[in-house]
Amino acid sequence: MNNTFGRILTVTLFGESHGTLTGAVIDGMPAGIRIDRERIAEEMDRRRAQGMISTPRREADVCEIVSGVYNGYSQGTPLTILIRNTNAVHAEYDREHVIPRPSHGDYSSYVKYSGYSDRRGGGHLSGRLTAPLCAAGAICRMMLEEKGIFIGTHIRQLYDLVDREFADDVKSDIDTLNAMKFAVLDPEVSSEMLDRITQAKAENDSLGGILETCIYGLEAGLGEPWFDSMESLLAHAAFSIPGIKGIEFGNGFGLAGMKGSEANDSFALRNGKVITLTNRSGGINGGITNGMPVVFRTAVRPTPTIAQPQKSVDLTAMKECTLTVSGRHDPAFIHRARAVQDCMSAFVIADLLLQRYGTEYFQGERR
Amino acid sequence: MNNTFGRILTVTLFGESHGTLTGAVIDGMPAGIRIDRERIAEEMDRRRAQGMISTPRREADVCEIVSGVYNGYSQGTPLTILIRNTNAVHAEYDREHVIPRPSHGDYSSYVKYSGYSDRRGGGHLSGRLTAPLCAAGAICRMMLEEKGIFIGTHIRQLYDLVDREFADDVKSDIDTLNAMKFAVLDPEVSSEMLDRITQAKAENDSLGGILETCIYGLEAGLGEPWFDSMESLLAHAAFSIPGIKGIEFGNGFGLAGMKGSEANDSFALRNGKVITLTNRSGGINGGITNGMPVVFRTAVRPTPTIAQPQKSVDLTAMKECTLTVSGRHDPAFIHRARAVQDCMSAFVIADLLLQRYGTEYFQGERR
Amino acid sequence: MNNTFGRILTVTLFGESHGTLTGAVIDGMPAGIRIDRERIAEEMDRRRAQGMISTPRREADVCEIVSGVYNGYSQGTPLTILIRNTNAVHAEYDREHVIPRPSHGDYSSYVKYSGYSDRRGGGHLSGRLTAPLCAAGAICRMMLEEKGIFIGTHIRQLYDLVDREFADDVKSDIDTLNAMKFAVLDPEVSSEMLDRITQAKAENDSLGGILETCIYGLEAGLGEPWFDSMESLLAHAAFSIPGIKGIEFGNGFGLAGMKGSEANDSFALRNGKVITLTNRSGGINGGITNGMPVVFRTAVRPTPTIAQPQKSVDLTAMKECTLTVSGRHDPAFIHRARAVQDCMSAFVIADLLLQRYGTEYFQGERR
Amino acid sequence: MNNTFGRILTVTLFGESHGTLTGAVIDGMPAGIRIDRERIAEEMDRRRAQGMISTPRREADVCEIVSGVYNGYSQGTPLTILIRNTNAVHAEYDREHVIPRPSHGDYSSYVKYSGYSDRRGGGHLSGRLTAPLCAAGAICRMMLEEKGIFIGTHIRQLYDLVDREFADDVKSDIDTLNAMKFAVLDPEVSSEMLDRITQAKAENDSLGGILETCIYGLEAGLGEPWFDSMESLLAHAAFSIPGIKGIEFGNGFGLAGMKGSEANDSFALRNGKVITLTNRSGGINGGITNGMPVVFRTAVRPTPTIAQPQKSVDLTAMKECTLTVSGRHDPAFIHRARAVQDCMSAFVIADLLLQRYGTEYFQGERR
């Protein structure tokens, strides 16, 4: 199921950067979920290219829901989203010789598909396809919020700049982030980061960073020991996002330098509820949520496509060459990947809740 | 499919720490694969508790293959492995009050299973179940080695100690590691690490670390864009191993502090073959292998079970308390997790090759 | 995966009768398969409403391929097909009171989806959705024909009329059927059947029948013992087609009245190839093909929607009532279901071949 | 997932006729289900070889539950069942030359597995493996009965003899059947059938027949339109049982000879509940249950292994020959298949209910 993800709730992704459209089919959605189109548009907006810090390719990203919704509510049947490509500039990419961009999927997909795939703009391997993922995720987020589950992601690090950690009142931080387009908690760091990106753009270069995500309001008992551990599922989802090269839960790699006595999270009672005094495990023990916020960080590589001359190989002539790309690219995509990260996480959680409580639990009242 | 992993090649895991046995069913294995029992025993041996640096619980780990193998070859039907629990000391764990160990799955699984699961030794959430995984993985490794694919993992970091990186001749390092029980490339660092573990044990404490895995000999074109990216699949598998809390591919989190011009891997030709001059992407671009070695690191937490008094909650009485565990535990399990990491990786790769080339490709000749 | 079918090759189905469109995503298709749009149109044409014997709703069924195909060849990425609904007459179906049609999915789906689904024309439960299935199947049939596998279906029975059996030269019969719109081998029976349908239409009634399908050119060894038996997979696919209520392989229910000595198919050699002298098992033994043609029959119920007064229940008022439907309906759909049966079978076989030989086997040559 | 079936509730089957054991892993079972070993033994007993009408191979079929159950309740973790082979007579089957039995899976599996599979007693393709399926199904039946769902199957036809239909009070018939070893409703027909089998045995022949199954107490709304229609799932399960060659729902093939006005089931109200006045659709409309009993029939072929000389091919020498089998075989297996049919149906229904209501719905109370 290469382009289908999920078990009870599934998303099937399709489309190419310079084809007619991109889209997704969401199946397994209970009937009677109110589909708020403004909320979807908002989520789409979070991942859209912005001002100076993004590619000049600006897509309207109008999200057509062509099946599965009737009179504003989910029907319980496959919900299909289409997003037309309106601003693909075809001339920029067509080339006689196949010269892969370093660290992009150009070469590996050329081999995989024996040269039959549409290479323009990366074809199926394009960040464009994260648009329907965000639309799908927006719907999941609405479902989760009805059940008191909220998700937020901030840019914890951009190149050398670091945002502050989540505060103890993590719900308040999540609300703040969800109202932001450029999701950084510390306003000063935020404006420095914007400068850094603008500067990278001027240098025809790009920047990487780290996203930090928090899922708040999860009950204990979600996720499985072994193959469907909460970490396995969230990581599987995260690495589906182009450019993610690392993930860590709780203190993550930091735990490698700790003793058990330093790393363990003691249990305690607060208002009759079991909590942990610290959250170095990131809300997950034995692959299963423990009721604390689930916290993880993902490493985002700098955009591989940069407008500097780079060494590559002409695969048609099979000789080494220098490649200078002139297309429209993002000097960083971490601020856009953030929206996708929120959405993929929402998808995983919604699927797990459907498994635990069944379709009936989320379904609207008989009418 | 909570306890089943894989698409064409699948493994189904079962058993409990203090039950009769643990085991696994491997399905989708082509017929005619030679099953070398010594090789399986060797792999099992790598994950077995060792000398002073492991739990005093010593299990023979005799691996019975009770279906799917005939006259030394796989039949092409489900291959079932059983491993008896022979050395479970029951008295150590039985308790009237449910008091979860901090950072262990005790609490989260208690909630998940409404208190019906066998808590002795962690029940189904026990490292014991990695034994059948290693047996399954050993068979996959044999399949892969026939096709020139080799996997090796070393302890890159233990608490504060760091092993050297993989050398350029990574195949030679892999061979070296596969002959070692305690997999550290630098002999001096190795003995320091052993000391550190012994010392932690003396302090009733435990240590974490980082594993580094290399998959050598992979062709370009394996893995999928989006949901079944090579990173997604390997991460899904890695987080199935108890105690793994982070994973990064290539330079991973290091890429967050880089510019595109610093992070990109230039393409070049060597003997008519496309290579990259550096391997900061860890052999994967766009979710698909590019023909370079796949390299990743996983963060291993310190064993949560330690013999020091810790704060917890008595779930039966619902009051806070102090827990002092007296069972037999590992002061570190990173050296044992290493074998499991090799095996889970082998499983993922074998499954992908079966998808690309079909069962027929691996099947023995008609006889 | 309610609306996704297949393991390596998958189809995801979406849309509603009176919504914007219907469509399907086909994933797992190898790259480099030539996509012949005329051949797809031909297949679509076979299931399209015809002359007097079908519903007056005539849809152009223009099949847009909006992803996964580039320059006439499959890209190896998800192939998406959209078919616009252009001739939905909305007024015919809208009603204040929910009164389910007897033996249609109206009532069961109303309960299932708590009343949120679009009931116009059956919504998601409409024969309209077989159009994208036929488009998907047409592509699979092209793949199979390249490997010497041909599929044909005829109307073996319509109400009281019976077509002749497949001849020994089954390949020739298949070719004949594939050139026909109304697939009956005996021309006389064919015209009688057409008359019977016309007559049923005049009586505001509908007719059922039996389809017989033959898959020719299959090698021995496809299908699995137990859960993925060839019969299980073909039956799963067949019962996905609306209105199919029975399936039998080889002599099927006829075997119930036989002794083993009467039912068994003796093995023999012909030109060095193992064959069976009879084919009462329908080409399948132990769930696995034996190299003989796979033959099965499916029972097609009469169209439930008829223009006669029928007893039903007004679900809004919860009282019994008489329902007279005035929409546009098929007096029989067996001649249309035949195209869908061919296509679903092609899908199952293509998926199994991909599992046995891998994607690489079908993929076009590197270019 | 060749040997795994189900979506939320899964069963993985393994073993061979003359190997150490057969077994199954049931995963996805909620915690806290009481596991009544006597009830399992009872179910096993129904499929066990009986008196004169079955093979002289008598297996104790002792069912060991080696994981997933603790203190008599399911743990919520994989439940593993092992059944030792104790009475395999090895000498009977071993042969130098491979000569497949007509209409058995010998030939097709020989090709599939390139000759590597254990051919003794059919190896993995042996009726022995239905024993663990019955154990698994027994547990599902207990789950369903707690929710008011009951399943019963009778031998509707044996060769030329026909049992009476299910009475209107179908629940009472189901209770009667579940107390019987040889499940025939009419006592006179029952004794005639037993005679017929004894006679077939004396003639070294075997007999086929038809099973009829009823699932009582199902709510409306289970099953899916399209690929996971109730018919698709039940048929998939039924054709997993060796020797089943046909299935029909409600009037099934009888619908082929009907007009819509004859076939449709009118809706009516009884005690405020929607029912249908007839049940020719077998309780399923549009792939979804309508609240009436689900009724279907399956065609069971005569046992292919008979002790008469039959034409076959010596695959080792590649020449035609005559085969006379001397092993121990069933003159009919329909009375044994009946237990398996009940169990496979229970499995499908339990899986669907878990999807609709979630694990939590079935799980035992917190303790």
Side-chain angles (χ1 to χ4, degrees), chain A residues 1-2 7 205 236 261, chain B residues 1-2 7 205 227 236 261:
Chain A
M1 244 73 75
N2 303 333
R7 192 172 174 194
D205 217 327
H236 195 133
S261 58
Chain B
M1 243 73 76
N2 304 333
R7 194 172 171 194
D205 216 328
F227 307 126
H236 195 133
S261 58

Side-chain angles (χ1 to χ4, degrees), chain A residues 210-366:
Chain A
I210 295 175
L211 291 172
E212 187 171 47
T213 299
C214 180
I215 311 175
Y216 172 86
L218 279 185
E219 63 189 79
L222 288 179
E224 302 284 332
W226 307 107
F227 307 127
D228 286 346
S229 76
M230 185 57 96
E231 290 104 332
S232 285
L233 297 175
L234 287 170
H236 195 133
F239 284 117
S240 302
I241 306 171
I244 303 291
K245 298 296 280 187
I247 191 168
E248 57 177 5
F249 294 84
N251 280 38
F253 280 89
L255 293 165
M258 288 187 186
K259 297 185 179 179
S261 58
E262 297 161 344
N264 284 354
D265 299 309
S266 303
F267 286 109
L269 283 173
R270 283 297 172 274
N271 308 317
K273 200 175 160 278
V274 177
I275 60 144
T276 62
L277 294 172
T278 48
N279 188 16
R280 299 183 195 108
S281 299
I284 309 169
N285 293 143
I288 305 167
T289 54
N290 64 12
M292 297 299 289
V294 166
V295 182
F296 61 93
R297 277 169 301 286
T298 42
V300 184
R301 61 167 303 135
T303 321
T305 314
I306 53 175
Q308 296 183 15
Q310 295 183 88
K311 286 183 196 165
S312 186
V313 168
D314 180 332
L315 298 174
T316 316
M318 274 308 268
K319 55 179 200 177
E320 299 187 345
C321 65
T322 295
L323 171 73
T324 309
V325 183
S326 56
R328 302 165 302 173
H329 312 290
D330 286 294
F333 59 89
I334 189 169
H335 53 291
R336 302 179 68 185
R338 159 251 180 169
V340 193
Q341 183 58 72
D342 277 344
C343 287
M344 289 304 296
S345 306
F347 199 88
V348 167
I349 302 301
D351 191 15
L352 285 172
L353 286 172
L354 278 164
Q355 290 171 45
R356 189 169 177 93
Y357 294 107
T359 310
E360 199 69 7
Y361 176 66
F362 288 93
Q363 193 140 312
E365 289 206 0
R366 179 76 41 92

